[in-house]
Amino acid sequence: MGRKIRVLMAKPGLDGHDRGVKVVARALRDAGMEVIYTGLHQTPQQVVAAAIQEDVDVVGLSILSGAHMTLFPKIRKLLNENDGENILLIGGGTIPQDDLQQLLEEKSADALFTPGTPTDKIVDWIKEHVKVD
Amino acid sequence: MSKLEEIQQEYQRWHEEKYGKGKHRDVKFVTVSQKPIKELYTPADVKDLDYQRDLGFPGEYPFTRGVQPTMYRGRLWTMRQFAGFATAEESNQRYKFLLEKGQTGLSVAFDMPTLMGYDSDHPFSEGEVGRCGVAIDSLADMEVLFDGIPLDKVSTSMTINGPAAILWAMYIATAEKQGVPSEKLRGTIQNDILKEYIAQKSWIFPPEPSMRIITDIFEYASKHVPKWNTISISGYHIREAGATAVQELAFTLADGFAYVEAGIEAGLDVDDFAPRLSFFFNSHMDFFEEIAKYRAARRIWAKRMKEKYGAKNPRSWLMRFHTQTAGCSLTAEQPENNIVRTAFEALAAVLGGTQSLHTNSMDEVLALPTEKAVQIALRTQQIIAYETGVTNTIDPLAGSYFVESLTNEMEAEAEKYFEKIERLGGVLKAIEKGFFQQEIADAAYEYQRAIEKKERIIVGVNEYVNPDEELEIEILKIDPAVEEKQKQKVAELRRTRDNVAVQNTLSAMKKAAQSKENLIPYILDAVRAYATLGEIVQELKSVFGEYKEQPMF
């Protein structure tokens, strides 16, 4: 059996809606992952510093304020600049379909899950994409 | 044998011989809050109900049946759609559109930087300007927001909490410019900081100075803005964060009691401010549970205000509330179905006796609503009001064995929470201990698990899914240029205003913050001098500090 998958769940920006991030964090923990939650109102720099320091495999962003087109690219760029290019960046929130496509196409996010997504689907995606051996 | 015993005996017989031998679907019969519901309610379930004591008449203590004697036969509820996006100019256009379509009150949504007290050009505001509401940096923006809308004619609700005093001051100053005295202004500021710590998490200052600003608002309004609702004590966000119906009811009322106690401790007479307290509830999908919640809320509030806090003015006893349908019940899948969900939720709010109502638009799970979606949502209210006939009689579900029994149970369960909160040392202590936050997170997780295990069916999500669904509705886009435009506007303001006056008013305000003086007149002066929201908040932070939460999940 490999090591545990490490995930940083983060709330970047000013948005305080934390229902989704907490539900997902708990589901990932119940699925056997190590989950760290940043808490609210984090700058992109803070999120990336925490990701590097905690040596995570995945960063999950929750954004419901409409700032996703700014925050995803910025955090992806900062991860890449800080030796975090192997860290997967996923997220969820109120993200319209066009924006979602664009973020995935320009590789600002590796996977995006909109409201209504079963948490199992997120668990499965992570298990499929993170190598732990 | 008494009539009641006879009914009980007959019920037993029916239950064994008929119901027990009948067909039963293999599902849990529970509410959306996981509360078990019986198969049948009879007079035995409400045997202790005393009509005069527990229900009374509309407009009379304990107001279970409604706060006005005539209810919707006298005046329909206020149809108030929450709106705001991009710049003040664009939101002003949307307000005029809504008023033209027959909306009867305004409701302002602010963007995240405004809610958190940052100007549009602050680094934290990057990417957030005008996104989920309108960006307001100074009085100059507020003047544009209400341009051509006479403030003595409309009532305006502003969803603002941390910086509520400042936005309220901007509204008062805008009215002054229109020649409308503050005594004539009608509306509401949400101003409910406790539920921010508990659920919505848009806070600025720590609890103590926040409560002081709130009591300053109570006092100032009672003298100068007497028709204003100084606070909208909100369960809405508590519910959206995942709470059950009972938790929403109990935590909201507990917050309400905390504000009343703060006002009394600040030396105010309860009857001077209590009549201006208002409430804001969610309306979720479980029809009867919601109706019972509203009825229980009115009764609990009236009893406490009269018996515990000694309020003598009957207006202090009555709970007036706004309702919004549940955003968290909407689905991204087959979004047109959200029109139907919203209609049922709106109907529950009306049957529960709401004073005003916001109906969500079908597309709100995806983005801010388009004009078409908002119009359907508003029309939903108009159809309830004019076509369904439910407004003909007051509190039509009273006397239903089920509804009365559920109302009693909601009250009893809320009382248990009040005791628990009391044992924890009150609302502020319970927040510090993470009590509410944990309760809500647990309930949210259980709700999600129930959906994933298909114990709860959500149409289009975990059943009746359209596998190759293509979204067919239009989405409102916010132009990214809005942020640049707003940044330039605030830079221009800083160049052209009288900066000496700004500095002077800010210093005077800071001094007042350090003393016990009422802050509102000083904030008003700073606003009139065109100090920005961010500048005023920064100055107050230097005295009050900032709130930080311990993250948990």
Side-chain angles (χ1 to χ4, degrees), chain B residues 68 70-80 104 186 354-356 391:
Chain B
Q68 285 122 8
T70 56
M71 285 304 288
Y72 305 136
R73 289 172 72 111
R75 197 176 72 84
L76 291 167
W77 63 91
T78 304
M79 298 179 189
R80 195 193 292 280
T104 47
R186 288 179 303 123
T354 196
Q355 275 58 63
S356 63
T391 56

Side-chain angles (χ1 to χ4, degrees), chain A residues 13 15 18 38 49 69 71 76 85 95 111 119:
Chain A
D15 168 37
D18 60 1
T38 60
M69 295 310 278
L71 293 169
R76 182 70 266 175
E85 50 282 276
I95 305 174
T119 53

Side-chain angles (χ1 to χ4, degrees), chain B residues 13-24:
Chain B
R13 178 198 55 76
W14 168 83
H15 197 274
E16 264 164 51
E17 292 175 10
K18 300 283 171 64
Y19 181 77
K21 289 178 184 156
K23 257 189 175 173
H24 298 274

